[in-house]
Amino acid sequence: MPLFSFEEPKPKLNPPIKNWREDMPESHEPQLVPPQLHWLTTLNDTFLEIPRYSTEVAWGGVLAWAILVFILGIGIGISGFVIQAGHDGYGMIVIGLFGAFIFFAMMSSGLKMYFVQPRDQPLRLNRKRQKIYIYEFKRTFFPWLKWPVTIRSYNWADVHGEIRYSSARYDSGYQLFGSVCEPGTNKVVTRFLIAKERSSREQLCQIWSYLCVYMQHDKVVAEPDSPGRPDDWRPRKADQWPAEMELESTTAPEHAVTQK
């Protein structure tokens, strides 16, 4: 009989996240690593905001693609008129204009992504309310429609931390997720991304530790290890929160009541 036995760790949430690597300590427990953030937007006694910068898109490539599509759209539109010149009817003109319309829609979508789409979809943690607020921006193919902003909010006590590893071609690396469970259980209702790092699980553990320590009303350092925004994220439209959620996510409960 062996003197020592080693049991491989298993995920505690149900269902576990795909490509699970590690469960974080519970949010109310003492944290095992020093708290540290990579980026920080706002820190005060009521709420904490951290950015979630979009890294899936090469923004310069989006602008170049939009310009290329614009040129192709003009070329297709003109081609329809040129080809139709030696024929009866309007068939080629219609085809050319339809093709140009499709390319112009694609160009408009690319320009809207570059100049309008928020490149930061932040998280806010309000420790007076003990809630987390998740800013999300929904993009559609149709540039003439409004691309809506939605805010999800959950009780912090129901959020558990999990680290997974993504092997996606353009989004590989370790990812820290917040997994929202039914109160008092390990049954997952939904998940959201908190942060990701290409090769450092330790940094994700530090981020989770920071959020938990802050929500436990303990003191945290105000200086992140990367204080500036990455240059790739400019130009940028300011992130607009719906007025009601802006008030709720940045105030204590008693302040929100006095505003009614």
Side-chain angles (χ1 to χ4, degrees):
M1 183 176 180
L3 294 177
F4 301 98
S5 62
F6 175 76
E7 186 177 346
E8 186 176 347
K10 295 180 180 178
K12 63 184 178 185
L13 301 186
N14 180 36
I17 197 167
K18 184 180 179 182
N19 298 326
W20 174 89
R21 290 293 184 271
E22 183 179 355
D23 284 315
M24 297 290 94
E26 295 295 334
S27 60
H28 61 275
E29 295 177 344
Q31 297 303 302
L32 307 178
V33 297
Q36 180 64 58
L37 286 182
H38 199 43
W39 283 297
L40 173 64
T41 306
T42 305
L43 173 66
N44 56 46
D45 192 49
T46 301
F47 78 98
L48 161 74
E49 180 177 313
I50 60 171
R52 294 185 301 168
Y53 296 128
S54 300
T55 56
E56 298 86 355
V57 178
W59 295 103
V62 169
L63 183 60
W65 174 79
I67 294 171
L68 176 62
V69 165
F70 174 73
I71 295 170
L72 290 174
I74 291 178
I76 287 176
I78 293 174
S79 297
F81 283 91
V82 171
I83 295 173
Q84 189 63 52
H87 301 79
D88 296 329
Y90 300 97
M92 292 306 300
I93 293 177
V94 171
I95 292 173
L97 290 177
F98 179 74
F101 171 78
I102 295 297
F103 276 92
F104 285 141
M106 293 168 64
M107 175 206 68
S108 301
S109 184
L111 291 177
K112 191 170 181 178
M113 283 177 63
Y114 188 77
F115 289 106
V116 177
Q117 175 179 328
R119 303 186 187 186
D120 169 16
Q121 301 191 47
L123 300 177
R124 282 181 184 168
L125 289 86
N126 187 311
R127 67 178 174 187
K128 299 293 177 65
R129 298 179 185 273
Q130 286 296 299
K131 296 185 76 173
I132 183 169
Y133 300 84
I134 304 146
Y135 180 104
E136 294 178 326
F137 184 79
K138 302 294 183 183
R139 186 176 72 239
T140 68
F141 175 76
F142 305 103
W144 48 85
L145 298 180
K146 184 177 180 180
W147 291 356
V149 166
T150 59
I151 309 295
R152 291 193 284 158
S153 66
Y154 301 102
N155 292 325
W156 178 244
D158 299 331
V159 179
H160 305 257
E162 292 179 292
I163 289 181
R164 62 168 291 213
Y165 183 80
S166 170
S167 54
R169 184 175 180 182
Y170 297 108
D171 194 26
S172 62
Y174 291 101
Q175 300 174 342
L176 171 63
F177 273 80
S179 301
V180 184
C181 293
E182 293 180 357
T185 75
N186 288 334
K187 185 178 179 182
V188 177
V189 177
T190 188
R191 289 182 165 97
F192 58 91
L193 179 70
I194 295 177
K196 52 189 174 182
E197 292 293 335
R198 188 165 294 276
S199 58
S200 173
R201 279 169 67 171
E202 178 65 21
Q203 193 161 49
L204 294 180
C205 294
Q206 292 176 338
I207 291 172
W208 175 255
S209 176
Y210 192 103
L211 302 184
C212 294
V213 169
Y214 175 80
M215 292 298 271
Q216 291 169 8
H217 292 268
D218 287 339
K219 187 176 180 180
V220 286
V221 230
E223 289 300 322
D225 57 19
S226 296
R229 293 178 60 92
D231 289 338
D232 287 349
W233 300 170
R234 299 185 178 95
R236 169 183 178 268
K237 181 177 182 289
D239 309 316
Q240 298 294 322
W241 290 61
E244 182 181 352
M245 298 308 290
E246 173 72 23
L247 177 64
E248 180 182 322
S249 64
T250 59
T251 61
E254 61 273 14
H255 180 79
V257 171
T258 62
Q259 295 296 313
K260 292 183 179 181

